[in-house]
Amino acid sequence: MVDYTGSGSRVHGVHMVQSADEFELPAPDPARPELAGALGLSGSAMERARRASAASGQPLAVALSLLGLATEDAIAQACGTLYDAPVWPDGAPLERVELPGLSPGFLQDRYAVAMADGAEGWCVGLVDPGDPTTRDALRFALGRDAAVRTITLGAWRRVQDIAETAPEEAERPGPSTATWLDDAERLRDIARDAPVVRLSEQILERAFLLNASDVHVEQKIDHTRVRFRIDGALQDQDRLGVEIGPALIARIKVLSDLDVAERRAPQDGRTTINVRGVPVDVRISTAPTVFGESLVVRLLTRRDVDYSLERLGLRPAVAAGLGQLLTRSHGLLLVTGPTGSGKTTTLYAGLRQLASSRNKILTVEDPVEYVFEDILQSQVNEAAGFTFSTALRSFLRHDPDVILVGEIRDAETARLAVQASLTGHLVLATVHTNDAATTPSRLVDMGVERYLLGDALIGVMAQRLAARLCKACKSAGPLNAEETAALHEVGLDLRPATVGRAQGCPACGQTGRRGRQAVSELMVCTPELGELIGSGAHASVLRRHLADRPGFASLRQDALEQSADGLLDWGDAWRVADR
């Protein structure tokens, strides 16, 4: 029995209810095919959600979210459209209020929250506004129709956690939160409190389900902001109370064995968590800021990663050229690009092509992101003196055929990689440069002799990752006058009939984008190009040489051509190319 009314009696049908305990809330009705259609779910998936809803008594939208059959945002958008209940804006504060006739027990059972609304004065936020039994009960309890908004399951959970945490905070001694935040032992205790533990688990689980690569927790002067990097772009997710940030960061620090008391210096750590039965490696990094610590969590999982050159999304010419370079017996092959551009994934795809019982492959990485059976992988441990350079020296005594260096960061590692490639080894490595043509100059700046580099370097692949257009809602349109003029200004005349345009639908969370696509350029070092590099030619000279080569496409050309093919939004293609 659920108590959701106030004192007195109300007429419910033909029966006079004298008290709240006389009214039994019926189970939710899960048979709602319109929601399945809006979310694009199969019959078997919907039947699974129906059974879970009927067995647990949870609204159908809650069951869909908990089963991971659709994202919370997609469910909220679909419910808001179908049931005339506008979605509560992302980042808008959820101010909880008490309404006569609505007990906390009823709100919790129905995944509802009474909220202050600037326009209406108050409203009721529902995770599932399409559940007719909940709306009937609200109408009965309040004596009129309620103003309803759609909220995500995560937003509802955060309201519950804040409500549970508030009484505990009120009991803590001291004139202000600064008193207990400065107490490291108390902070450790708070990090183990159930509401904080649940909040951290929910944030990481939601990031996993949304295929986010990173979680950013940032403390501001009056709130704590949580953002996810999804398909390469940061998206606001939560706006938490200012007092929640230190506890949330402390909890994640505890998971990775970082020093909770140290908040004035950066820290790095890693751990493994289990999300819905899937092990996920996470890398944690903290940094002090003006208003407190900033924390970034990188999620590393094998989901949706196919380590083969054919499935990386590279243009056929680039994939074929890279495959040919990997057949070389010796030389230095570099993959370059900014952080998060997929360099490691490309190198792993290359290693998978080379892995066999005939090849001995050694890697040194920081960190080892994925483990492969036929490859001997090593983790950098600077505290123990095991760095990229010391690993390379050791590897040369182990008779390897292929060596992978996770990143060339310093002069010693660069020189050792070049020397290894000149002594009969195929060396794969990453380096941070803007494009392929500037990579030789970067290595020369590190102290590598030009004449050695001209002989050692066999190829450089520069790449970026761009958000791929959602297949369910993408559209195409002609270039406008401004876009055509910009194309001519850079000397390109692709003459596309139409280009990709992002729209937005429930399947992609109204972003118009889903997944990421590789944008790349491949510089194969021919004898002529090797002579230019050895003679100290400027990057602009190398670019002109590459532009005259048949079949070569720069990063900009590749991005714009993929937009003309309907894979990328035209604006996204320009932004990627300009980087």
Side-chain angles (χ1 to χ4, degrees):
M1 307 294 287
V2 180
D3 173 18
Y4 66 91
T5 65
S7 60
S9 62
R10 296 178 186 272
V11 176
H12 183 69
V14 297
H15 174 63
M16 180 70 74
V17 180
Q18 299 297 330
S19 70
D21 291 335
E22 293 183 34
F23 191 92
E24 182 176 356
L25 186 69
D29 177 12
R32 306 219 309 273
E34 73 283 356
L35 183 56
L39 294 172
L41 296 178
S42 64
S44 59
M46 199 62 188
E47 181 59 29
R48 180 184 171 197
R50 287 192 185 110
R51 288 198 302 268
S53 176
S56 64
Q58 295 166 331
L60 180 59
V62 175
L64 288 168
S65 180
L66 293 176
L67 290 172
L69 298 175
T71 67
E72 292 182 5
D73 287 338
I75 294 170
Q77 291 291 341
C79 287
T81 301
L82 288 170
Y83 307 119
D84 192 25
V87 178
W88 191 262
D90 284 342
L94 291 172
E95 184 181 348
R96 180 170 167 155
V97 300
E98 293 185 6
L99 294 179
L102 294 181
S103 73
F106 164 73
L107 294 173
Q108 188 165 4
D109 287 343
R110 294 293 89 201
Y111 289 82
V113 58
M115 307 181 300
D117 188 338
E120 300 286 342
W122 62 267
C123 67
V124 178
L126 295 176
V127 176
D128 190 349
D131 181 12
T133 60
T134 300
R135 285 203 160 184
D136 288 344
L138 285 172
R139 187 180 302 109
F140 172 75
L142 297 172
R144 62 186 178 91
D145 287 332
V148 175
R149 294 289 194 98
T150 303
I151 60 175
T152 64
L153 179 60
W156 179 85
R157 282 171 165 169
R158 289 190 294 277
V159 172
Q160 308 308 308
D161 289 338
I162 292 172
E164 291 181 27
T165 306
E168 298 175 10
E169 298 301 330
E171 296 173 1
R172 299 185 189 277
S176 69
T177 55
T179 302
W180 62 268
L181 288 180
D182 290 335
D183 185 342
E185 287 302 322
R186 191 175 295 276
L187 193 58
R188 290 189 183 94
D189 292 340
I190 293 169
R192 295 182 177 91
D193 285 349
V196 176
V197 172
R198 282 203 305 273
L199 179 61
S200 64
E201 291 175 349
Q202 290 160 10
I203 288 174
L204 294 177
E205 180 181 5
R206 184 149 44 95
F208 174 84
L209 295 175
L210 292 175
N211 289 323
S213 60
D214 301 270
V215 177
H216 295 247
V217 181
E218 302 161 344
Q219 296 189 71
K220 303 297 182 180
I221 189 170
D222 60 350
H223 68 279
T224 299
R225 180 169 66 175
V226 178
R227 298 192 287 175
F228 294 169
R229 188 173 294 280
I230 301 174
D231 295 335
L234 280 173
Q235 298 180 14
D236 286 338
Q237 294 293 319
D238 298 317
R239 186 185 177 97
L240 307 175
V242 67
E243 74 282 354
I244 301 297
L248 177 60
I249 291 175
R251 173 59 190 170
I252 297 177
K253 280 184 170 183
V254 167
L255 291 176
S256 54
D257 293 326
L258 297 182
D259 186 356
V260 175
E262 179 56 75
R263 286 168 285 157
R264 296 174 297 177
Q267 297 186 71
D268 295 290
R270 65 178 302 163
T271 187
T272 300
I273 61 175
N274 193 289
V275 180
R276 299 196 176 185
V278 179
V280 180
D281 291 330
V282 295
R283 289 159 50 187
I284 295 98
S285 180
T286 69
T289 66
V290 174
F291 301 115
E293 281 185 296
S294 169
L295 179 139
V296 178
V297 180
R298 169 151 291 188
L299 306 176
L300 303 172
T301 173
R302 297 192 185 196
R303 293 178 316 163
D304 300 328
V305 177
D306 189 339
Y307 293 110
S308 65
L309 294 179
E310 295 76 15
R311 300 296 297 276
L312 287 180
L314 304 175
R315 286 184 296 110
V318 173
L322 186 60
Q324 286 294 321
L325 291 174
L326 290 169
T327 63
R328 302 279 289 271
S329 61
H330 64 276
L332 178 62
L333 175 58
L334 300 175
V335 179
T336 180
T339 301
S341 59
K343 301 186 298 294
T344 301
T345 300
T346 298
L347 288 179
Y348 279 157
L351 289 184
R352 287 294 296 273
Q353 177 173 310
L354 296 170
S356 72
S357 60
R358 300 179 58 185
N359 286 331
K360 181 162 186 175
I361 303 175
L362 301 176
T363 78
V364 54
E365 306 168 59
D366 186 24
V368 175
E369 296 189 4
Y370 305 106
V371 177
F372 299 100
E373 182 178 354
D374 296 328
I375 300 172
L376 300 177
Q377 298 170 266
S378 302
Q379 164 76 49
V380 165
N381 187 344
E382 294 187 0
F386 188 70
T387 63
F388 285 114
S389 56
T390 56
L392 271 174
R393 288 196 193 92
S394 172
F395 284 178
L396 295 178
R397 296 190 291 272
H398 285 253
D399 188 30
D401 297 290
V402 182
I403 298 173
L404 182 145
V405 181
E407 183 180 347
I408 295 179
R409 298 176 178 172
D410 52 58
E412 186 175 14
T413 304
R415 287 194 295 268
L416 287 170
V418 169
Q419 290 170 6
S421 68
L422 291 171
T423 55
H425 306 90
L426 179 62
V427 180
L428 314 180
T430 72
V431 64
H432 288 286
T433 58
N434 288 328
D435 61 4
T438 57
T439 303
S441 298
R442 171 65 176 148
L443 294 177
V444 170
D445 290 341
M446 287 184 178
V448 177
E449 290 80 1
R450 292 184 182 276
Y451 68 92
L452 291 179
L453 187 59
D455 290 336
L457 197 62
I458 61 174
V460 180
M461 179 175 153
Q463 72 177 51
R464 304 285 190 274
L465 290 179
R468 186 189 301 123
L469 286 173
C470 174
K471 294 180 180 179
C473 66
K474 69 177 181 179
S475 65
L479 295 178
N480 58 38
E482 182 180 351
E483 292 168 337
T484 302
L487 196 61
H488 292 160
E489 280 182 15
V490 297
L492 294 177
D493 190 11
L494 301 176
R495 299 187 184 278
T498 58
V499 294
R501 305 288 187 185
Q503 297 297 317
C505 67
C508 60
Q510 303 300 328
T511 64
R513 301 159 181 86
R514 192 169 187 180
R516 289 196 283 178
Q517 179 73 21
V519 176
S520 59
E521 64 179 18
L522 179 63
M523 180 177 78
V524 178
C525 293
T526 60
E528 296 79 11
L529 194 59
E531 291 180 5
L532 289 174
I533 294 172
S535 64
H538 191 269
S540 59
V541 176
L542 300 184
R543 288 193 192 98
R544 287 196 294 269
H545 177 85
L546 292 171
D548 294 335
R549 184 181 296 176
F552 175 81
S554 66
L555 280 169
R556 173 175 286 165
Q557 286 175 296
D558 188 27
L560 299 181
E561 286 175 358
Q562 290 197 48
S563 180
D565 292 338
L567 296 175
L568 305 178
D569 176 78
W570 185 253
D572 291 349
W574 271 105
R575 283 191 290 274
V576 170
D578 285 343
R579 288 187 65 183

